[in-house]
Short mmCIF file of all heavy atoms in Angstrom, two decimals:
data_model
loop_
_atom_site.label_atom_id
_atom_site.label_comp_id
_atom_site.label_asym_id
_atom_site.label_seq_id
_atom_site.Cartn_x
_atom_site.Cartn_y
_atom_site.Cartn_z
N ALA A 706 15.71 59.22 29.04
CA ALA A 706 15.19 59.95 27.88
C ALA A 706 14.99 59.02 26.68
O ALA A 706 14.00 59.11 25.97
CB ALA A 706 16.17 61.08 27.49
N VAL A 707 15.92 58.10 26.44
CA VAL A 707 15.70 57.11 25.38
C VAL A 707 14.59 56.19 25.66
O VAL A 707 13.77 55.91 24.76
CB VAL A 707 17.06 56.30 25.17
CG1 VAL A 707 16.81 55.09 24.33
CG2 VAL A 707 18.14 57.17 24.62
N GLY A 708 14.32 55.81 26.85
CA GLY A 708 13.20 55.01 27.25
C GLY A 708 11.89 55.70 27.06
O GLY A 708 10.93 55.06 26.51
N VAL A 709 11.80 56.97 27.35
CA VAL A 709 10.58 57.73 27.12
C VAL A 709 10.34 57.84 25.56
O VAL A 709 9.19 57.67 25.12
CB VAL A 709 10.68 59.09 27.72
CG1 VAL A 709 9.58 60.04 27.20
CG2 VAL A 709 10.64 59.01 29.23
N LEU A 710 11.33 58.17 24.83
CA LEU A 710 11.13 58.23 23.35
C LEU A 710 10.80 56.89 22.76
O LEU A 710 9.96 56.78 21.87
CB LEU A 710 12.44 58.75 22.70
CG LEU A 710 12.69 60.21 22.82
CD1 LEU A 710 14.04 60.58 22.23
CD2 LEU A 710 11.62 61.03 22.12
N TRP A 711 11.38 55.80 23.29
CA TRP A 711 11.07 54.47 22.81
C TRP A 711 9.55 54.17 23.08
O TRP A 711 8.88 53.57 22.24
CB TRP A 711 11.93 53.45 23.56
CG TRP A 711 11.89 52.11 22.98
CD1 TRP A 711 10.81 51.19 23.06
CD2 TRP A 711 12.83 51.42 22.24
NE1 TRP A 711 11.09 50.05 22.43
CE2 TRP A 711 12.38 50.13 21.92
CE3 TRP A 711 14.14 51.78 21.80
CZ2 TRP A 711 13.10 49.24 21.15
CZ3 TRP A 711 14.87 50.86 21.07
CH2 TRP A 711 14.39 49.63 20.75
N GLY A 712 9.08 54.57 24.21
CA GLY A 712 7.66 54.35 24.56
C GLY A 712 6.74 55.14 23.65
O GLY A 712 5.74 54.60 23.17
N ILE A 713 7.10 56.38 23.40
CA ILE A 713 6.25 57.21 22.54
C ILE A 713 6.19 56.68 21.11
O ILE A 713 5.17 56.53 20.49
CB ILE A 713 6.78 58.72 22.52
CG1 ILE A 713 6.47 59.37 23.87
CG2 ILE A 713 6.14 59.47 21.39
CD1 ILE A 713 7.20 60.70 24.02
N PHE A 714 7.34 56.26 20.59
CA PHE A 714 7.38 55.73 19.24
C PHE A 714 6.74 54.32 19.15
O PHE A 714 6.19 53.97 18.14
CB PHE A 714 8.83 55.65 18.70
CG PHE A 714 9.44 56.98 18.48
CD1 PHE A 714 10.77 57.27 18.77
CD2 PHE A 714 8.69 57.99 17.88
CE1 PHE A 714 11.28 58.48 18.52
CE2 PHE A 714 9.19 59.26 17.67
CZ PHE A 714 10.52 59.49 17.97
N SER A 715 6.77 53.54 20.25
CA SER A 715 6.09 52.25 20.22
C SER A 715 4.63 52.45 20.21
O SER A 715 3.92 51.72 19.46
CB SER A 715 6.46 51.47 21.53
OG SER A 715 7.79 51.11 21.53
N VAL A 716 4.07 53.42 20.89
CA VAL A 716 2.64 53.69 20.80
C VAL A 716 2.22 54.19 19.44
O VAL A 716 1.26 53.74 18.87
CB VAL A 716 2.23 54.75 21.93
CG1 VAL A 716 0.78 55.24 21.65
CG2 VAL A 716 2.39 54.08 23.27
N CYS A 717 3.01 55.08 18.85
CA CYS A 717 2.75 55.58 17.48
C CYS A 717 2.80 54.42 16.49
O CYS A 717 1.94 54.34 15.59
CB CYS A 717 3.73 56.65 17.11
SG CYS A 717 3.53 58.19 18.04
N TYR A 718 3.81 53.57 16.60
CA TYR A 718 3.91 52.45 15.68
C TYR A 718 2.70 51.53 15.78
O TYR A 718 2.17 51.08 14.81
CB TYR A 718 5.20 51.69 15.99
CG TYR A 718 5.30 50.39 15.25
CD1 TYR A 718 5.65 50.30 13.93
CD2 TYR A 718 5.08 49.18 15.94
CE1 TYR A 718 5.75 49.12 13.28
CE2 TYR A 718 5.17 47.96 15.28
CZ TYR A 718 5.53 47.95 13.97
OH TYR A 718 5.59 46.77 13.31
N ALA A 719 2.32 51.23 17.02
CA ALA A 719 1.14 50.27 17.26
C ALA A 719 -0.11 50.88 16.63
O ALA A 719 -0.92 50.17 16.04
CB ALA A 719 0.97 50.01 18.73
N ILE A 720 -0.34 52.17 16.77
CA ILE A 720 -1.52 52.81 16.18
C ILE A 720 -1.48 52.81 14.68
O ILE A 720 -2.45 52.48 14.06
CB ILE A 720 -1.65 54.27 16.72
CG1 ILE A 720 -2.01 54.27 18.23
CG2 ILE A 720 -2.69 55.08 15.95
CD1 ILE A 720 -1.89 55.60 18.88
N ILE A 721 -0.34 53.11 14.13
CA ILE A 721 -0.23 53.10 12.62
C ILE A 721 -0.43 51.73 12.06
O ILE A 721 -1.16 51.54 11.08
CB ILE A 721 1.15 53.69 12.17
CG1 ILE A 721 1.16 55.18 12.47
CG2 ILE A 721 1.40 53.37 10.72
CD1 ILE A 721 2.60 55.81 12.31
N VAL A 722 0.12 50.71 12.65
CA VAL A 722 0.03 49.34 12.13
C VAL A 722 -1.48 48.87 12.30
O VAL A 722 -1.99 48.19 11.45
CB VAL A 722 0.97 48.42 12.83
CG1 VAL A 722 0.73 47.00 12.45
CG2 VAL A 722 2.42 48.77 12.44
N MET A 723 -2.13 49.25 13.40
CA MET A 723 -3.45 48.89 13.59
C MET A 723 -4.41 49.53 12.58
O MET A 723 -5.32 48.92 12.03
CB MET A 723 -3.92 49.30 14.99
CG MET A 723 -5.27 48.80 15.37
SD MET A 723 -5.19 46.97 15.52
CE MET A 723 -6.81 46.71 16.26
N VAL A 724 -4.13 50.84 12.18
CA VAL A 724 -4.89 51.46 11.14
C VAL A 724 -4.68 50.78 9.79
O VAL A 724 -5.63 50.54 9.02
CB VAL A 724 -4.54 52.94 11.06
CG1 VAL A 724 -5.06 53.61 9.84
CG2 VAL A 724 -5.08 53.66 12.33
N VAL A 725 -3.46 50.39 9.48
CA VAL A 725 -3.17 49.71 8.20
C VAL A 725 -3.91 48.37 8.15
O VAL A 725 -4.43 48.00 7.13
CB VAL A 725 -1.66 49.52 8.03
CG1 VAL A 725 -1.32 48.48 6.97
CG2 VAL A 725 -0.96 50.83 7.76
N PHE A 726 -4.00 47.70 9.30
CA PHE A 726 -4.60 46.39 9.31
C PHE A 726 -6.11 46.45 9.19
O PHE A 726 -6.72 45.53 8.58
CB PHE A 726 -4.23 45.64 10.64
CG PHE A 726 -4.57 44.16 10.63
CD1 PHE A 726 -4.03 43.32 9.81
CD2 PHE A 726 -5.53 43.78 11.57
CE1 PHE A 726 -4.35 41.99 9.82
CE2 PHE A 726 -5.86 42.42 11.63
CZ PHE A 726 -5.24 41.52 10.77
N THR A 727 -6.74 47.43 9.74
CA THR A 727 -8.23 47.48 9.79
C THR A 727 -8.86 48.32 8.72
O THR A 727 -10.00 48.10 8.35
CB THR A 727 -8.67 47.97 11.16
OG1 THR A 727 -8.13 49.25 11.45
CG2 THR A 727 -8.25 47.02 12.27
N GLN A 728 -8.21 49.41 8.26
CA GLN A 728 -8.86 50.31 7.38
C GLN A 728 -8.63 49.95 5.91
O GLN A 728 -7.66 49.41 5.54
CB GLN A 728 -8.32 51.76 7.62
CG GLN A 728 -8.62 52.26 9.02
CD GLN A 728 -10.11 52.35 9.27
OE1 GLN A 728 -10.89 52.85 8.40
NE2 GLN A 728 -10.53 51.90 10.39
N ASP A 729 -9.54 50.36 5.07
CA ASP A 729 -9.45 50.24 3.61
C ASP A 729 -8.90 51.56 3.04
O ASP A 729 -9.12 52.60 3.58
CB ASP A 729 -10.77 49.94 2.99
CG ASP A 729 -11.35 48.57 3.44
OD1 ASP A 729 -10.53 47.70 3.77
OD2 ASP A 729 -12.55 48.43 3.56
N GLU A 730 -8.27 51.40 1.88
CA GLU A 730 -7.76 52.56 1.16
C GLU A 730 -8.68 52.86 0.01
O GLU A 730 -9.00 51.96 -0.75
CB GLU A 730 -6.35 52.25 0.69
CG GLU A 730 -5.69 53.37 0.00
CD GLU A 730 -5.33 54.53 0.84
OE1 GLU A 730 -5.08 54.36 2.02
OE2 GLU A 730 -5.36 55.62 0.25
N TRP A 731 -9.04 54.06 -0.17
CA TRP A 731 -9.95 54.42 -1.31
C TRP A 731 -9.15 54.54 -2.60
O TRP A 731 -8.15 55.19 -2.63
CB TRP A 731 -10.67 55.73 -1.02
CG TRP A 731 -11.66 55.61 0.11
CD1 TRP A 731 -11.47 55.91 1.39
CD2 TRP A 731 -13.00 55.06 -0.01
NE1 TRP A 731 -12.54 55.60 2.11
CE2 TRP A 731 -13.53 55.13 1.26
CE3 TRP A 731 -13.77 54.61 -1.06
CZ2 TRP A 731 -14.81 54.71 1.48
CZ3 TRP A 731 -15.04 54.22 -0.81
CH2 TRP A 731 -15.55 54.26 0.47
N ILE A 732 -9.66 53.75 -3.63
CA ILE A 732 -8.98 53.90 -4.92
C ILE A 732 -10.11 53.94 -5.96
O ILE A 732 -11.25 53.60 -5.72
CB ILE A 732 -8.12 52.67 -5.26
CG1 ILE A 732 -8.95 51.37 -5.16
CG2 ILE A 732 -6.96 52.59 -4.30
CD1 ILE A 732 -8.21 50.19 -5.74
N GLY A 733 -9.78 54.39 -7.17
CA GLY A 733 -10.71 54.41 -8.30
C GLY A 733 -11.85 55.39 -8.14
O GLY A 733 -12.91 55.25 -8.67
N ASP A 734 -11.66 56.44 -7.42
CA ASP A 734 -12.74 57.37 -7.11
C ASP A 734 -12.64 58.68 -7.94
O ASP A 734 -13.31 59.65 -7.68
CB ASP A 734 -12.74 57.75 -5.65
CG ASP A 734 -14.06 57.65 -4.99
OD1 ASP A 734 -15.02 57.20 -5.69
OD2 ASP A 734 -14.18 57.96 -3.82
N GLY A 735 -11.85 58.66 -8.98
CA GLY A 735 -11.70 59.88 -9.79
C GLY A 735 -12.68 59.94 -10.90
O GLY A 735 -13.57 59.11 -11.11
N ASP A 736 -12.62 61.05 -11.66
CA ASP A 736 -13.57 61.33 -12.76
C ASP A 736 -13.39 60.33 -13.90
O ASP A 736 -14.32 59.99 -14.60
CB ASP A 736 -13.41 62.78 -13.27
CG ASP A 736 -13.81 63.75 -12.21
OD1 ASP A 736 -14.62 63.43 -11.34
OD2 ASP A 736 -13.28 64.88 -12.23
N LEU A 737 -12.18 59.83 -14.15
CA LEU A 737 -11.90 59.04 -15.27
C LEU A 737 -11.86 57.52 -14.92
O LEU A 737 -11.61 56.69 -15.78
CB LEU A 737 -10.48 59.39 -15.86
CG LEU A 737 -10.38 60.79 -16.34
CD1 LEU A 737 -8.94 61.13 -16.78
CD2 LEU A 737 -11.37 61.08 -17.49
N SER A 738 -12.20 57.20 -13.68
CA SER A 738 -12.13 55.77 -13.27
C SER A 738 -13.38 55.05 -13.77
O SER A 738 -14.45 55.62 -13.86
CB SER A 738 -11.96 55.68 -11.77
OG SER A 738 -13.09 56.26 -11.11
N LYS A 739 -13.24 53.78 -13.94
CA LYS A 739 -14.38 52.95 -14.42
C LYS A 739 -15.39 52.71 -13.29
O LYS A 739 -16.54 52.71 -13.52
CB LYS A 739 -13.89 51.57 -14.92
CG LYS A 739 -13.02 51.70 -16.16
CD LYS A 739 -12.51 50.35 -16.60
CE LYS A 739 -11.59 50.50 -17.81
NZ LYS A 739 -11.05 49.22 -18.20
N SER A 740 -14.89 52.49 -12.11
CA SER A 740 -15.79 52.32 -10.95
C SER A 740 -15.05 52.72 -9.71
O SER A 740 -13.84 52.88 -9.68
CB SER A 740 -16.21 50.81 -10.83
OG SER A 740 -15.11 50.01 -10.51
N SER A 741 -15.83 52.95 -8.64
CA SER A 741 -15.19 53.37 -7.37
C SER A 741 -15.33 52.20 -6.39
O SER A 741 -16.20 51.41 -6.48
CB SER A 741 -15.87 54.64 -6.84
OG SER A 741 -17.20 54.37 -6.55
N GLY A 742 -14.48 52.25 -5.41
CA GLY A 742 -14.47 51.23 -4.43
C GLY A 742 -13.39 51.45 -3.38
O GLY A 742 -12.68 52.51 -3.42
N ASN A 743 -13.24 50.49 -2.51
CA ASN A 743 -12.17 50.59 -1.55
C ASN A 743 -11.34 49.29 -1.50
O ASN A 743 -11.86 48.26 -1.95
CB ASN A 743 -12.61 50.95 -0.17
CG ASN A 743 -13.74 50.10 0.29
OD1 ASN A 743 -14.03 49.04 -0.20
ND2 ASN A 743 -14.46 50.51 1.34
N PHE A 744 -10.16 49.34 -1.03
CA PHE A 744 -9.25 48.25 -1.18
C PHE A 744 -8.31 48.21 0.05
O PHE A 744 -7.74 49.25 0.45
CB PHE A 744 -8.37 48.55 -2.42
CG PHE A 744 -7.40 47.50 -2.78
CD1 PHE A 744 -7.87 46.39 -3.46
CD2 PHE A 744 -6.07 47.55 -2.49
CE1 PHE A 744 -7.05 45.42 -3.87
CE2 PHE A 744 -5.22 46.56 -2.87
CZ PHE A 744 -5.73 45.48 -3.55
N GLY A 745 -8.31 47.13 0.74
CA GLY A 745 -7.47 46.93 1.92
C GLY A 745 -6.61 45.69 1.83
O GLY A 745 -6.49 45.08 0.81
N LEU A 746 -6.00 45.35 2.92
CA LEU A 746 -5.13 44.16 2.95
C LEU A 746 -5.92 42.91 2.68
O LEU A 746 -5.53 42.05 1.90
CB LEU A 746 -4.47 44.03 4.34
CG LEU A 746 -3.06 44.64 4.47
CD1 LEU A 746 -2.59 44.45 5.86
CD2 LEU A 746 -2.10 44.02 3.50
N TRP A 747 -7.06 42.73 3.36
CA TRP A 747 -7.76 41.50 3.27
C TRP A 747 -9.18 41.60 2.77
O TRP A 747 -9.87 40.62 2.68
CB TRP A 747 -7.76 40.83 4.65
CG TRP A 747 -8.20 41.71 5.79
CD1 TRP A 747 -7.39 42.52 6.54
CD2 TRP A 747 -9.48 41.91 6.30
NE1 TRP A 747 -8.12 43.20 7.43
CE2 TRP A 747 -9.44 42.86 7.32
CE3 TRP A 747 -10.78 41.35 5.98
CZ2 TRP A 747 -10.56 43.26 8.02
CZ3 TRP A 747 -11.89 41.76 6.68
CH2 TRP A 747 -11.71 42.72 7.68
N ARG A 748 -9.61 42.80 2.44
CA ARG A 748 -10.99 43.02 1.96
C ARG A 748 -10.99 44.08 0.85
O ARG A 748 -10.26 45.04 0.88
CB ARG A 748 -11.90 43.47 3.10
CG ARG A 748 -13.32 43.62 2.69
CD ARG A 748 -14.18 44.05 3.83
NE ARG A 748 -14.00 45.46 4.02
CZ ARG A 748 -14.80 46.19 4.73
NH1 ARG A 748 -15.79 45.67 5.39
NH2 ARG A 748 -14.60 47.50 4.80
N TRP A 749 -11.79 43.86 -0.15
CA TRP A 749 -12.01 44.83 -1.19
C TRP A 749 -13.47 44.92 -1.55
O TRP A 749 -14.20 43.95 -1.60
CB TRP A 749 -11.10 44.60 -2.43
CG TRP A 749 -11.48 43.36 -3.27
CD1 TRP A 749 -12.23 43.35 -4.39
CD2 TRP A 749 -11.22 41.99 -2.94
NE1 TRP A 749 -12.41 42.10 -4.85
CE2 TRP A 749 -11.76 41.25 -3.97
CE3 TRP A 749 -10.51 41.40 -1.94
CZ2 TRP A 749 -11.67 39.87 -4.03
CZ3 TRP A 749 -10.42 39.99 -2.02
CH2 TRP A 749 -10.99 39.28 -2.99
N CYS A 750 -13.89 46.15 -1.82
CA CYS A 750 -15.32 46.35 -2.10
C CYS A 750 -15.42 47.24 -3.38
O CYS A 750 -14.58 48.08 -3.68
CB CYS A 750 -15.97 47.16 -0.98
SG CYS A 750 -15.95 46.38 0.59
N VAL A 751 -16.46 46.94 -4.15
CA VAL A 751 -16.78 47.69 -5.38
C VAL A 751 -18.18 48.21 -5.27
O VAL A 751 -19.13 47.47 -4.81
CB VAL A 751 -16.58 46.80 -6.60
CG1 VAL A 751 -16.96 47.53 -7.88
CG2 VAL A 751 -15.18 46.23 -6.67
N ASP A 752 -18.39 49.47 -5.64
CA ASP A 752 -19.77 49.97 -5.60
C ASP A 752 -20.60 49.36 -6.76
O ASP A 752 -20.13 49.32 -7.87
CB ASP A 752 -19.72 51.51 -5.77
CG ASP A 752 -19.13 52.21 -4.58
OD1 ASP A 752 -19.15 51.58 -3.48
OD2 ASP A 752 -18.74 53.37 -4.69
N SER A 753 -21.81 48.90 -6.42
CA SER A 753 -22.64 48.32 -7.44
C SER A 753 -23.55 49.37 -8.03
O SER A 753 -23.57 50.53 -7.59
CB SER A 753 -23.43 47.12 -6.87
OG SER A 753 -24.26 47.58 -5.82
N ASP A 754 -24.42 48.95 -8.97
CA ASP A 754 -25.32 49.91 -9.65
C ASP A 754 -26.36 50.49 -8.66
O ASP A 754 -26.82 51.59 -8.86
CB ASP A 754 -26.00 49.22 -10.84
CG ASP A 754 -24.98 48.85 -11.87
OD1 ASP A 754 -23.97 49.54 -11.98
OD2 ASP A 754 -25.19 47.87 -12.60
N ASN A 755 -26.80 49.67 -7.71
CA ASN A 755 -27.88 50.12 -6.82
C ASN A 755 -27.35 50.99 -5.63
O ASN A 755 -28.08 51.31 -4.78
CB ASN A 755 -28.70 48.96 -6.30
CG ASN A 755 -27.89 47.96 -5.51
OD1 ASN A 755 -26.69 48.13 -5.30
ND2 ASN A 755 -28.50 46.87 -5.11
N GLY A 756 -26.08 51.29 -5.63
CA GLY A 756 -25.53 52.16 -4.58
C GLY A 756 -24.93 51.40 -3.38
O GLY A 756 -24.39 52.05 -2.47
N ARG A 757 -25.08 50.12 -3.34
CA ARG A 757 -24.55 49.33 -2.25
C ARG A 757 -23.21 48.79 -2.62
O ARG A 757 -22.90 48.53 -3.79
CB ARG A 757 -25.51 48.22 -1.91
CG ARG A 757 -26.86 48.71 -1.42
CD ARG A 757 -27.77 47.56 -1.01
NE ARG A 757 -27.14 46.91 0.17
CZ ARG A 757 -27.59 45.76 0.63
NH1 ARG A 757 -28.62 45.14 0.10
NH2 ARG A 757 -27.09 45.21 1.69
N GLU A 758 -22.37 48.61 -1.63
CA GLU A 758 -21.07 47.99 -1.88
C GLU A 758 -21.14 46.48 -1.96
O GLU A 758 -21.85 45.86 -1.17
CB GLU A 758 -20.05 48.37 -0.75
CG GLU A 758 -19.68 49.82 -0.82
CD GLU A 758 -18.63 50.08 0.27
OE1 GLU A 758 -18.62 49.40 1.33
OE2 GLU A 758 -17.85 51.05 0.10
N LYS A 759 -20.43 45.91 -2.83
CA LYS A 759 -20.23 44.49 -2.95
C LYS A 759 -18.81 44.12 -2.47
O LYS A 759 -17.85 44.44 -3.12
CB LYS A 759 -20.50 43.97 -4.34
CG LYS A 759 -20.54 42.47 -4.43
CD LYS A 759 -21.34 42.00 -5.67
CE LYS A 759 -20.50 42.04 -6.92
NZ LYS A 759 -21.12 41.38 -8.06
N CYS A 760 -18.73 43.55 -1.25
CA CYS A 760 -17.42 43.30 -0.66
C CYS A 760 -17.06 41.85 -0.71
O CYS A 760 -17.90 40.96 -0.61
CB CYS A 760 -17.44 43.78 0.79
SG CYS A 760 -17.71 45.54 0.98
N ARG A 761 -15.74 41.57 -0.87
CA ARG A 761 -15.21 40.22 -0.85
C ARG A 761 -13.93 40.22 0.03
O ARG A 761 -13.26 41.22 0.14
CB ARG A 761 -14.88 39.77 -2.24
CG ARG A 761 -16.06 39.47 -3.09
CD ARG A 761 -15.64 39.03 -4.39
NE ARG A 761 -15.74 40.25 -5.17
CZ ARG A 761 -15.39 40.41 -6.42
NH1 ARG A 761 -14.93 39.37 -7.08
NH2 ARG A 761 -15.50 41.55 -7.06
N GLY A 762 -13.71 39.04 0.63
CA GLY A 762 -12.55 38.90 1.52
C GLY A 762 -12.97 38.97 2.95
O GLY A 762 -13.61 39.88 3.35
N GLN A 763 -12.57 37.91 3.68
CA GLN A 763 -12.84 37.81 5.14
C GLN A 763 -11.53 37.49 5.84
O GLN A 763 -10.72 36.74 5.33
CB GLN A 763 -13.91 36.73 5.44
CG GLN A 763 -15.26 37.07 4.86
CD GLN A 763 -16.22 35.93 5.25
OE1 GLN A 763 -15.79 34.83 5.58
NE2 GLN A 763 -17.47 36.20 5.08
N LEU A 764 -11.41 38.04 7.00
CA LEU A 764 -10.23 37.79 7.78
C LEU A 764 -10.16 36.38 8.33
O LEU A 764 -9.15 35.81 8.56
CB LEU A 764 -10.10 38.86 8.91
CG LEU A 764 -8.81 38.92 9.65
CD1 LEU A 764 -7.64 39.19 8.76
CD2 LEU A 764 -8.90 39.95 10.74
N THR A 765 -11.32 35.81 8.55
CA THR A 765 -11.43 34.45 9.15
C THR A 765 -11.22 33.37 8.09
O THR A 765 -10.96 32.20 8.48
CB THR A 765 -12.79 34.28 9.81
OG1 THR A 765 -13.83 34.48 8.89
CG2 THR A 765 -12.92 35.21 11.00
N ASP A 766 -11.32 33.73 6.82
CA ASP A 766 -11.18 32.70 5.73
C ASP A 766 -10.12 33.21 4.77
O ASP A 766 -10.40 34.06 3.93
CB ASP A 766 -12.50 32.46 5.06
CG ASP A 766 -12.48 31.38 4.03
OD1 ASP A 766 -11.44 30.60 4.05
OD2 ASP A 766 -13.42 31.21 3.24
N PHE A 767 -8.92 32.68 4.84
CA PHE A 767 -7.84 33.14 4.04
C PHE A 767 -8.01 32.84 2.54
O PHE A 767 -7.39 33.41 1.69
CB PHE A 767 -6.48 32.60 4.53
CG PHE A 767 -5.94 33.27 5.71
CD1 PHE A 767 -5.02 32.62 6.50
CD2 PHE A 767 -6.37 34.47 6.11
CE1 PHE A 767 -4.57 33.20 7.68
CE2 PHE A 767 -5.87 35.09 7.24
CZ PHE A 767 -4.96 34.46 7.98
N SER A 768 -8.86 31.89 2.20
CA SER A 768 -9.09 31.59 0.81
C SER A 768 -9.85 32.69 0.05
O SER A 768 -9.87 32.69 -1.16
CB SER A 768 -9.80 30.21 0.62
OG SER A 768 -11.14 30.34 1.17
N THR A 769 -10.47 33.58 0.77
CA THR A 769 -11.22 34.68 0.14
C THR A 769 -10.37 35.90 -0.10
O THR A 769 -10.86 36.85 -0.69
CB THR A 769 -12.47 35.07 1.01
OG1 THR A 769 -11.99 35.48 2.29
CG2 THR A 769 -13.43 33.88 1.19
#
Side-chain angles (χ1 to χ4, degrees):
V707 168
V709 168
L710 284 176
W711 191 288
I713 290 170
F714 290 141
S715 293
V716 169
C717 291
Y718 171 77
I720 291 170
I721 289 170
V722 172
M723 188 67 168
V724 167
V725 166
F726 190 64
T727 58
Q728 298 297 315
D729 295 330
E730 180 70 32
W731 289 96
I732 60 167
D734 228 2
D736 295 334
L737 301 175
S738 62
K739 295 179 184 177
S740 65
S741 63
N743 53 14
F744 186 80
L746 265 179
W747 50 272
R748 185 179 79 164
W749 69 99
C750 299
V751 177
D752 291 339
S753 62
D754 295 332
N755 60 4
R757 297 184 64 190
E758 288 184 334
K759 188 159 78 170
C760 296
R761 286 178 267 177
Q763 294 180 345
L764 191 57
T765 56
D766 185 12
F767 284 159
S768 65
T769 61

